[in-house]
Amino acid sequence: MALIFDLTEDPQQVVQVSAWVGDWHSYVVRLVDELGSPVDITTGTLGITFTNIATGSAYTFASGSVTLTKQYSAQGILSILDPAAYGTAANIRVTVSFTVGTDVRRFGPLEIEVLAP
């Protein structure tokens, strides 16, 4: 059974998960508004940012590009496949943007603590 993480527009509502250095998998998330209702992502463009929490700079992967797949658009559910395996231990903040026309909405953060074995 896959876990679905709710990402809200409230940056104070942090979702925390852990992973190991060398892990490479996807996360399933649901974008929800401030009332907890799903945001329909059928039309519009999705974007994502990965930030190293310690440095405030972008977290970079060795290669590849992120894959965002709309799973159940009307329910705001999408999967995020990282560009590659985590190369180093770090704390990463992931935020998702959803743009329709000139309206940009931001969801998250999903904070991933990448641990060294």
Side-chain angles (χ1 to χ4, degrees):
M1 178 176 186
L3 292 175
I4 298 175
F5 301 106
D6 283 347
L7 299 183
T8 71
E9 292 181 278
D10 180 354
Q12 298 301 314
Q13 299 294 318
V14 179
V15 177
Q16 296 178 319
V17 297
S18 296
W20 293 106
V21 167
D23 280 357
W24 184 26
H25 52 80
S26 60
Y27 297 94
V28 179
V29 301
R30 177 180 19 241
L31 305 184
V32 297
D33 64 19
E34 64 278 355
L35 300 175
S37 298
V39 174
D40 188 338
I41 57 172
T42 303
T43 59
T45 305
L46 294 167
I48 193 162
T49 58
F50 295 89
T51 305
N52 183 316
I53 295 171
T55 65
S57 60
Y59 179 85
T60 56
F61 291 86
S63 63
S65 59
V66 69
T67 303
L68 299 172
T69 305
K70 295 177 181 180
Q71 300 286 333
Y72 299 98
S73 298
Q75 293 299 312
I77 298 174
L78 68 132
S79 65
I80 302 167
L81 177 60
D82 294 333
Y86 299 111
T88 59
N91 287 314
I92 304 165
R93 179 179 297 116
V94 179
T95 55
V96 176
S97 64
F98 176 58
T99 305
V100 177
T102 59
D103 183 31
V104 179
R105 299 171 75 178
R106 299 196 189 292
F107 298 87
L110 171 66
E111 290 188 358
I112 304 168
E113 181 180 12
V114 181
L115 305 167

